[in-house]
């Protein structure tokens, strides 16, 4: 039996709930969920993917999620075309 974190399961059905939940989740996992939810490409510079994120996004526009992730991590996060760039 495989036990998956509740946040992981919730994000699998986020297309219907419109809620993304992260609880001490590595930025690489957050990026994967954001990629699937918003249909964008994401590039994380260096080893920044180990940053941990705790947040709930409830039907938020991508622009708001970008702003909040920047505040939570202190990283530079910006859109360039259809790609979200995350750097120091």
């Amino acid at each position: 039996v495989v036990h998956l974190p509740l946040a992981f399961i919730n994000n699998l059905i986020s297309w219907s709930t419109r809620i993304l939940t992260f609880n001490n989740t590595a930025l690489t996992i957050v990026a994967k969920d954001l990629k699937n939810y918003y249909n964008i490409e994401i590039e994380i510079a260096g080893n920044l993917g180990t940053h941990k994120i705790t947040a709930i996004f409830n039907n938020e526009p991508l622009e708001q999620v970008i702003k909040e992730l920047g505040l939570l991590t202190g990283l530079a996060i910006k859109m360039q075309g259809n790609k979200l760039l995350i750097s120091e």
Side-chain angles (χ1 to χ4, degrees), residues 11 13-20 22 30-40 57-62 65:
N11 289 346
I13 60 169
S14 63
W15 58 270
S16 67
T17 64
R18 309 308 252 170
I19 298 172
L20 288 167
F22 304 105
V30 173
K32 181 182 72 67
D33 287 346
L34 294 177
K35 175 185 177 191
N36 293 334
Y37 186 83
Y38 290 102
N39 195 30
I40 59 172
F57 300 111
N58 188 352
N59 198 28
E60 306 220 14
L62 179 57
V65 171

Side-chain angles (χ1 to χ4, degrees), residues 27 30 34 38 40 53-57 60-79 84-86:
L27 186 56
V30 173
L34 294 177
Y38 290 102
I40 59 172
I53 306 292
T54 298
I56 297 174
F57 300 111
E60 306 220 14
L62 179 57
E63 296 77 19
Q64 184 64 31
V65 171
I66 291 169
K67 180 187 276 187
E68 291 180 31
L69 284 176
L71 291 172
L72 286 170
T73 63
L75 299 173
I77 303 175
K78 66 179 182 174
M79 284 299 294
L84 184 65
L85 304 173
I86 303 173

